[in-house]
Amino acid sequence: QVRLTESGGGSVQRGGSLKLSCASHISVFSRCVMGWWRQAPGKERELVSIISPNGATTYGDSVEGRVAISKDIPKRSIDLQLDKVKDEEPDIYYCQADCRKAWVSGGVYWGQGTQVTVSS
């Protein structure tokens, strides 16, 4: 069982910065591609950013230039910062661990999701 512990979220001011963290077991943190996705009601989940075990990063088109993802090794977490938050951005953020290449029985695992509310 892969457990992903999300933190951060809540209320963020329009134009401000959103910070999220996702902690996991050391085997997940060190071997899986981890990242953040987000979803608006009635829409498909979209990529925010992912980071591979070797530190390579990928960013979603809708956040390019405004987002940074990094690893906190002592905390075994991945940290996301999204700047210049807009009113119309999706409001549920999910941590993901893609472990399909990490071990034979590995799959794709999701956190429970964290709500983000943009205030003006």
Side-chain angles (χ1 to χ4, degrees):
Q1 187 75 16
V2 171
R3 181 178 179 182
L4 303 174
T5 303
E6 301 161 334
S7 60
S11 180
V12 60
Q13 197 162 18
R14 181 179 60 195
S17 296
L18 167 66
K19 295 181 180 181
L20 301 172
S21 289
C22 176
S24 63
H25 187 274
I26 184 63
S27 62
V28 176
F29 177 77
S30 62
R31 300 174 65 179
C32 302
V33 176
M34 295 187 67
W36 287 93
W37 296 66
R38 64 184 186 176
Q39 189 170 21
K43 296 190 176 182
E44 292 187 358
R45 204 165 287 188
E46 67 176 34
L47 172 68
V48 181
S49 182
I50 56 175
I51 185 166
S52 69
N54 67 5
T57 56
T58 300
Y59 301 109
D61 291 340
S62 62
V63 297
E64 187 76 44
R66 300 189 290 130
V67 68
I69 191 168
S70 60
K71 289 189 172 187
D72 186 326
I73 296 174
K75 295 182 180 179
R76 303 192 316 272
S77 70
I78 56 165
D79 300 331
L80 181 83
Q81 178 166 326
L82 177 64
D83 298 325
K84 301 178 182 177
V85 174
K86 306 172 184 177
D87 288 333
E88 64 272 22
E89 307 218 53
D91 57 352
I92 307 292
Y93 287 72
Y94 296 92
C95 180
Q96 181 205 60
D98 184 346
C99 303
R100 289 173 292 180
K101 294 184 179 180
W103 49 80
V104 173
S105 59
V108 178
Y109 308 95
W110 295 93
Q112 291 186 328
T114 184
Q115 175 87 41
V116 174
T117 302
V118 180
S119 60
S120 57

